[in-house]
Amino acid sequence: MAFVPPKESFAGRVFPVTIGTGVQQTFGGENTLPFHSFEGEVPNRPLIAYEIQDVPPEDWPETVRKLYDGVSDDPVKWAKYCEEELKAKAVALRLVGTHPDSKDLSAEDAAKTVTDVLGAIKVPLIVLGSNHVEKDSEVLVRAAEAAKGHDCIIGKAQEANYKTIAAAAMANGHKLIAMSELDINLSKQLNILLTQMGFDKEKLITDPMCSALGYGLEYTYSVMERIRLAALAQNDAVMQPPMLADVGMYVWKIKETQAPEDVLPEWGSLEERGIAWEAVTASSLLMAGAELLIMRHQKAVEAVELFVDELM
Amino acid sequence: MALTGVQIFKLLPKTNCKKCGFPTCLAFAMKLAQRQASLDACPDVSEEAKATLGEASAPPVRPVTLGTGEKAVKMGEETVLFRHEKKFVNPPAIALEIKDTDSDDVVEAKLQDVIGSEINRVGQLLRIDAVYLSNDSGDAGRFGALAEKVAQKAPETAVIVGTENPDAADAAIKPFSGKNAILHGATEANAERMAEIAKSAKAVLGVKADGLDALSSLTEKVKSLGVEDMVIDPGAKSAREILEYNTFIRRAAIKKNFKPLGYPVINFAQRDDALFESLVAGLGIAKYASIVVVSSAEKWKNLALFTLRQNIYTDPQVPMQVEQKIYKIGDPTPDSPLLITTNFSLTYFIVSGEVENSKVPAHLAIMDCEGLSVLTAWAAGKFTGSKIANFIKESGIENEINHRELIIPGYVAILSGAIEDKLEGWKVTVGPREANALPAFLRSAQAA
Ligand code: SF4
């Protein structure tokens, strides 16, 4: 029996998103399932951004914190290090120091950090809040203003605070991350609310919420697959923005990236385990449809880039 | 080829006796066509109909077993392409490659890696399931000797014998006769002899060809030689080829009921770098492989791959929850602290793991919130002050502890007043927001 490959093509396509002004990066744009270039078009690689913070990464485990010794006390040095030494294609600045339980830095402090970091790098910048609903709507508004003209990604807008953040992103010419918690309907609803207030859906990035390997990865994986099928097979335009996997933050807080080998010998080397945890979480979510990743460990990023090389 | 409901109906007794559990033969036929019923349910079906229907109603991916005994691995039987549609059925075997050019020490070390690979993760025992023996030397005697050694030192481990040389295959498969080993494999050039060897050793036959067209004709040929149990290898090397071939194979089997590719798939993920190898192996796990061959079995890599396999193969339709009760962690006394959280199984595993980690024995109250996490349960009104108070009162914990202090998750700090109002004589302490801060929290509370 001669075999005819059961190729599938789709009516829908993921929006391509371009960010940055100096060096520009584009991700998304495919009209097929993740890396299915054997039956559709996959014009762009996924984009991996290195994560940095406005305050020193005291709660990052040693494995990843030590990579940034000597630069992580200053977000400007840290950002430059990522661009120059690690060849980062993009940088994600998390303003975690603005959280009331952290240093409670002001929106002005945050805006200054954003301005300084933008002055130091050429690659695109992603500006993230501290995930405190009220504080983010102050901080991200000022941050978006400070970054005007740089075509950044601002995030994350959630159901409780999307209006102010989206308005600021729109007024200052940025892309926007829309985050909801592990539910395709919530994702869709938030994207609809954003488009209803006039935000261009082609400037959105959907964050269905990340989870680490072993800690709910399968939820993120399946929500992403469902969102992608809605975009392609159902040609649902609200579901067509590319997706974010905010990997580093979720991976580097769990036990597998922290428990030393002498306590859990059956888990093997802590260093390699942590790196593998970040890389496997990232590569799995790429297979589910993520196009933008935020990661922390250089070795994990490099392994995932190599994996993408083999897939493209 | 798949039969329609009406075609199947014509083969049934047409008595509408209802013994199959359906009101009519036609209703039963429709279910059979959708593969939602099994022909066995009709006691009166004729032998002739069974033969005709058997082929058509067989599962789209043939069930094949690797190995024997408790550690046997079931493969095949998959019914969907995406895990949200329905649970993926049989998690893939991970097989460690051992070459007949490896030194004795290396062989020994790899066997120990396999035997010692078992890990308990959230209640499941996970391990490297098999070894893949490679005939890199090309020498039959040497390959046979490796097989003897493996059979002797790791008698319970399932084995895949990898060679295209029939003499080497014959020598190496013998020690595993009757043990559901896989002989990998048959090619266009050697199919007849390999089929004979596989049949006489009662082994599964691995069938390999370059590309899916050649592979489909080869499985047909092998089947005509009298071998039913096969695993297939489309010759994928790069990650891209693994994704492409595995996707087409799964689609052809499930959506087109294309029998020549309706077999479990074996993928080779070996790479020089162990970290990179874990990503390629992970692709096989997520995308339809039934066997993934790796070149090394570092504990950290095993843990990552086992965990991924477990995640991908969990049932998406069963809400993940654990039983509502007060769990004892460590060996708590009446003075040990009492913590509360929701019954989302992930929450339970993480919190109980961290409490264990702290080495502070504790009572952990797990409250039924329909499997929701703390914040979601709170938002949905299932984790509220009065519900928590009721649960604590009804649990009987008051008779088991001397103190009246309840530690609640930091995310619901807002509930402390409401709980204290409803639970007379109790003091509520706000714990950390994230479970990983629990060890420090519990230890400092204990020291205080
Ligand atoms: S048991 Fe068989 S004969 Fe009776 S109704 Fe069902 S299909 Fe028809």
Side-chain angles (χ1 to χ4, degrees):
Chain A
M1 229 188 276
F3 178 72
V4 183
K7 294 191 181 178
E8 288 179 3
S9 57
F10 299 103
R13 181 187 287 275
V14 178
F15 299 125
V17 169
T18 300
I19 52 169
T21 48
V23 176
Q24 287 192 321
Q25 300 289 1
T26 303
F27 51 93
E30 63 275 23
N31 65 353
T32 187
L33 290 164
F35 303 100
H36 280 217
S37 47
F38 44 84
E39 58 182 354
E41 293 162 28
V42 184
N44 299 297
R45 290 173 71 94
L47 177 64
I48 306 180
Y50 273 95
E51 177 176 352
I52 68 168
Q53 299 189 160
D54 58 344
V55 292
E58 275 150 17
D59 61 345
W60 293 18
E62 172 70 13
T63 308
V64 62
R65 194 180 60 226
K66 70 182 180 198
L67 290 180
Y68 303 108
D69 274 351
V71 296
S72 60
D73 57 334
D74 171 6
V76 171
K77 277 196 282 178
W78 194 353
K80 270 183 112 116
Y81 177 79
C82 289
E83 176 172 303
E84 286 163 16
E85 302 299 322
L86 307 184
K87 310 290 172 228
K89 293 174 177 166
V91 171
L93 167 64
R94 199 180 302 275
L95 298 164
V96 68
T98 61
H99 197 287
D101 293 347
S102 175
K103 299 224 160 48
D104 204 13
L105 297 174
S106 70
E108 290 314 311
D109 297 327
K112 179 169 185 320
T113 306
V114 169
T115 308
D116 293 348
V117 168
L118 278 168
I121 57 169
K122 294 182 201 70
V123 295
L125 184 68
I126 300 166
V127 181
L128 302 164
S130 65
N131 208 16
H132 185 277
V133 170
E134 294 91 42
K135 191 70 185 278
D136 275 3
S137 47
E138 262 176 70
V139 167
L140 291 175
V141 168
R142 285 292 295 116
E145 288 164 9
K148 188 178 177 92
H150 288 269
D151 201 356
C152 298
I153 299 175
I154 302 289
K156 305 171 178 176
Q158 308 179 40
E159 203 198 326
N161 63 9
Y162 72 92
K163 281 191 182 141
T164 45
I165 299 172
M170 208 162 25
N172 297 286
H174 302 300
K175 313 297 189 295
L176 180 71
I177 299 168
M179 184 185 91
S180 44
E181 291 190 6
L182 289 178
D183 181 319
I184 182 172
N185 297 315
L186 293 179
S187 272
K188 178 163 174 159
Q189 190 192 330
L190 181 56
N191 287 3
I192 290 173
L193 290 172
L194 284 161
T195 48
Q196 278 172 353
M197 64 175 280
F199 201 94
D200 182 354
K201 59 184 178 303
E202 300 191 23
K203 292 185 173 176
L204 279 177
I205 292 125
T206 301
D207 178 3
M209 201 160 110
C210 190
S211 336
L213 177 61
Y215 293 83
L217 176 78
E218 67 273 27
Y219 292 95
T220 302
Y221 186 93
S222 282
V223 173
M224 282 187 168
E225 283 198 327
R226 293 180 61 195
I227 289 178
R228 184 48 38 87
L229 286 167
L232 298 174
Q234 292 153 35
N235 200 5
D236 180 348
V238 215
M239 297 271 79
Q240 285 169 346
M243 289 186 282
L244 164 70
D246 195 354
V247 174
M249 177 172 96
Y250 286 88
V251 164
W252 292 102
K253 68 175 183 187
I254 60 162
K255 192 172 174 185
E256 279 78 354
T257 60
Q258 316 221 14
E261 193 176 359
D262 52 11
V263 177
L264 284 163
E266 69 273 24
W267 282 9
S269 154
L270 171 59
E271 170 109 11
E272 284 163 303
R273 192 194 322 137
I275 296 167
W277 225 262
E278 184 171 37
V280 172
T281 302
S283 63
S284 305
L285 294 177
L286 284 180
M287 298 320 302
E291 285 97 350
L292 176 63
L293 304 178
I294 299 176
M295 296 176 66
R296 292 181 179 173
H297 202 292
Q298 182 188 8
K299 287 200 177 139
V301 172
E302 287 171 356
V304 173
E305 291 283 9
L306 211 61
F307 181 62
V308 172
D309 287 345
E310 258 204 39
L311 281 165
M312 293 294 285
Chain B
M1 275 295 139
L3 298 180
T4 65
V6 174
Q7 285 168 322
I8 296 173
F9 170 68
K10 290 183 181 151
L11 298 163
L12 293 176
K14 304 196 197 74
T15 55
N16 298 337
C17 74
K18 301 188 173 64
K19 282 186 253 173
C20 56
F22 292 92
T24 61
C25 294
L26 183 61
F28 181 60
M30 292 300 170
K31 286 288 165 187
L32 280 176
Q34 294 161 24
R35 291 205 194 81
Q36 288 169 356
S38 159
L39 189 60
D40 306 340
C42 172
D44 303 326
V45 72
S46 70
E47 285 306 316
E48 186 203 340
K50 259 189 212 165
T52 319
L53 284 170
E55 177 83 345
S57 64
V61 185
R62 185 180 172 83
V64 176
T65 302
L66 163 61
T68 49
E70 263 177 39
K71 295 179 181 171
V73 185
K74 285 169 87 185
M75 304 179 292
E77 300 183 282
E78 300 299 336
T79 58
V80 294
L81 280 136
F82 298 100
R83 62 176 295 285
H84 63 261
E85 298 170 304
K86 200 158 182 254
K87 185 180 185 296
F88 283 3
V89 183
N90 289 315
I94 299 175
L96 176 63
E97 180 181 33
I98 302 181
K99 299 173 178 174
D100 66 357
T101 51
D102 283 338
S103 70
D104 283 353
D105 288 353
V106 170
V107 172
E108 183 71 27
K110 284 184 177 173
L111 288 175
Q112 287 314 316
D113 280 350
V114 171
I115 293 166
S117 65
E118 194 163 276
I119 292 175
N120 183 333
R121 192 174 183 285
V122 292
Q124 284 182 5
L125 284 177
L126 310 166
R127 66 181 79 87
I128 298 279
D129 308 275
V131 291
Y132 181 93
L133 308 182
S134 283
N135 184 207
D136 276 27
S137 70
D139 183 84
R142 199 158 164 183
F143 199 42
L146 172 66
E148 286 291 349
K149 187 186 290 176
V150 170
Q152 195 192 356
K153 301 216 160 155
E156 286 175 27
T157 302
V159 174
I160 306 163
V161 169
T163 182
E164 290 177 23
N165 171 351
D167 294 333
D170 199 30
I173 200 75
K174 284 219 170 81
F176 312 111
S177 189
K179 286 184 151 184
N180 265 339
I182 297 176
L183 174 58
H184 193 69
T187 63
E188 188 54 48
N190 68 14
E192 285 79 6
R193 277 201 66 196
M194 285 296 194
E196 282 316 309
I197 298 167
K199 274 192 279 183
S200 69
K202 295 196 173 57
V204 176
L205 192 56
V207 176
K208 50 183 175 179
D210 280 328
L212 301 182
D213 199 24
L215 188 59
S216 343
S217 10
L218 190 53
T219 58
E220 293 282 84
K221 176 171 171 180
V222 167
K223 195 174 170 196
S224 72
L225 294 167
V227 176
E228 299 270 339
D229 284 336
M230 290 178 241
V231 299
I232 54 178
D233 171 9
K237 292 187 185 69
S238 67
R240 184 192 145 116
E241 285 171 332
I242 291 176
L243 180 64
E244 174 177 351
Y245 291 150
N246 288 13
T247 301
F248 285 152
I249 290 171
R250 175 69 67 91
R251 265 190 209 155
I254 286 170
K255 292 192 162 175
K256 314 270 179 206
N257 202 20
F258 184 72
K259 293 293 177 194
L261 293 179
Y263 299 95
V265 175
I266 182 169
N267 285 149
F268 294 86
Q270 301 102 313
R271 295 292 185 277
D272 290 338
D273 178 69
L275 174 61
F276 185 42
E277 180 172 296
S278 24
L279 305 191
V280 180
L283 166 65
I285 290 170
K287 290 290 166 186
Y288 319 139
S290 288
I291 301 172
V292 178
V293 181
V294 294
S295 68
S296 63
E298 295 84 355
K299 290 192 156 60
W300 55 267
K301 188 173 88 186
N302 293 350
L303 186 68
L305 293 180
F306 295 167
T307 306
L308 177 62
R309 178 173 65 178
Q310 201 174 34
N311 284 175
I312 296 290
Y313 278 78
T314 52
D315 189 340
Q317 263 124 34
V318 177
M320 303 223 303
Q321 40 183 295
V322 292
E323 191 196 338
Q324 159 165 306
K325 67 174 196 186
I326 314 256
Y327 291 79
K328 292 185 191 310
I329 316 271
D331 215 349
T333 68
D335 295 314
S336 300
L338 170 67
L339 300 90
I340 187 164
T341 191
T342 70
N343 75 328
F344 179 37
S345 58
L346 218 57
T347 304
Y348 167 74
F349 288 125
I350 296 172
V351 171
S352 61
E354 293 297 352
V355 173
E356 217 168 276
N357 221 0
S358 75
K359 307 265 191 294
V360 179
H363 306 273
L364 177 59
I366 294 292
M367 184 168 140
D368 182 1
C369 298
E370 293 166 26
L372 298 176
S373 66
V374 170
L375 275 178
T376 331
W378 172 65
K382 302 193 189 302
F383 197 54
T384 63
S386 50
K387 287 188 177 160
I388 292 173
N390 275 342
F391 168 49
I392 292 294
K393 274 186 216 150
E394 284 165 16
S395 72
I397 186 72
E398 284 175 316
N399 304 324
E400 287 182 40
I401 54 175
N402 295 332
H403 62 84
R404 292 290 177 266
E405 181 186 6
L406 178 65
I407 302 169
I408 63 170
Y411 279 115
V412 288
I414 193 165
L415 291 179
S416 35
I419 301 172
E420 282 178 355
D421 283 351
K422 301 262 160 42
L423 262 187
E424 221 167 294
W426 280 72
K427 172 175 177 273
V428 170
T429 300
V430 177
R433 295 161 74 103
E434 297 287 345
N436 63 9
L438 272 172
F441 174 85
L442 289 171
R443 274 184 231 128
S444 70
Q446 192 183 39

